[in-house]
Amino acid sequence: MHPSAWIESQQEELVRTVVRWSNRNTGSANVAGLQSFSDELIAEFAELRPDRVEKREVTSPAGPSIPLLVFQKRTEASRRVFLFGHLDTVFGPDHPFQRATVPGDGRILGPGVCDMKGGLAVLLCGLRAFEGFIEEKRLGWTVVINSDEEVGSPASSASLVEEARG
């Protein structure tokens, strides 16, 4: 199967994933939700067999510790890409916008669907296609996912810069 055909075949699974992830509250201040979702992403990335999987706890002066995830593959490669995403959404547990819906017109409506849970699903699908179909892999990758992007990344910005330098 051609990689693009495989990616197209993933549409229904991507929709299910985005709906499932969007139904999980990960508001920037919902530490329990962020921790739970970060653990799920670690399990999702495990199938890619990264060389490095790290879950750091980062703390801003104004808040509790929150997760920062780092995944790397082929760190020795001379050509590498840096991909970034975030776990948090702007909708806290008390906000009425909590559930995703699929109205049947090609759209998904829900918290974080576009920013950023849908983006994380697409990122993961793209890496699965790359790792599954590209035989000669001369490209390394680093994926960093923070939990405080929606509030300006106060706890994670130093780590983001450090990882991007690599």
Side-chain angles (χ1 to χ4, degrees):
M1 178 181 287
H2 192 273
S4 61
W6 180 84
I7 290 171
E8 280 192 38
S9 77
Q10 299 304 298
Q11 182 177 353
E12 288 181 23
E13 180 58 29
L14 282 168
V15 169
R16 282 191 295 274
T17 297
V18 171
V19 167
R20 185 177 76 248
W21 288 355
S22 294
N23 285 341
R24 166 184 258 153
N25 184 278
T26 57
S28 300
N30 182 0
V31 176
L34 294 168
Q35 292 288 358
S36 174
F37 188 39
S38 69
D39 291 340
E40 182 172 343
L41 283 180
I42 288 170
E44 293 279 352
F45 272 86
E47 76 179 57
L48 298 172
R49 293 184 298 254
D51 303 328
R52 174 182 169 208
V53 175
E54 185 177 346
K55 179 180 179 182
R56 295 183 201 164
E57 298 297 321
V58 294
T59 306
S60 69
S65 294
I66 53 173
L68 175 102
L69 304 177
V70 180
F71 305 98
Q72 289 185 311
K73 185 95 175 198
R74 286 179 291 286
T75 57
E76 74 290 345
S78 61
R79 295 189 334 171
R80 308 202 33 194
V81 295
F82 179 79
L83 304 166
F84 165 76
H86 62 92
L87 301 172
D88 60 325
T89 64
V90 297
F91 304 102
D94 296 332
H95 194 281
F97 190 42
Q98 294 293 319
R99 305 294 295 172
T101 60
V102 183
D105 58 358
R107 297 180 300 150
I108 307 171
L109 306 173
V113 164
C114 291
D115 180 22
M116 162 106 231
K117 293 174 179 174
L120 291 172
V122 168
L123 184 151
L124 192 55
C125 183
L127 286 175
R128 286 175 175 147
F130 177 74
E131 293 298 327
F133 289 96
I134 306 302
E135 291 189 28
E136 189 177 341
K137 296 177 185 74
R138 292 179 280 154
L139 180 71
W141 48 262
T142 297
V143 176
V144 179
I145 304 171
N146 73 349
S147 297
D148 60 344
E149 187 274 343
E150 295 291 357
V151 294
S153 304
S156 64
S157 60
S159 294
L160 291 170
V161 170
E162 174 188 326
E163 292 297 335
R165 282 191 180 122

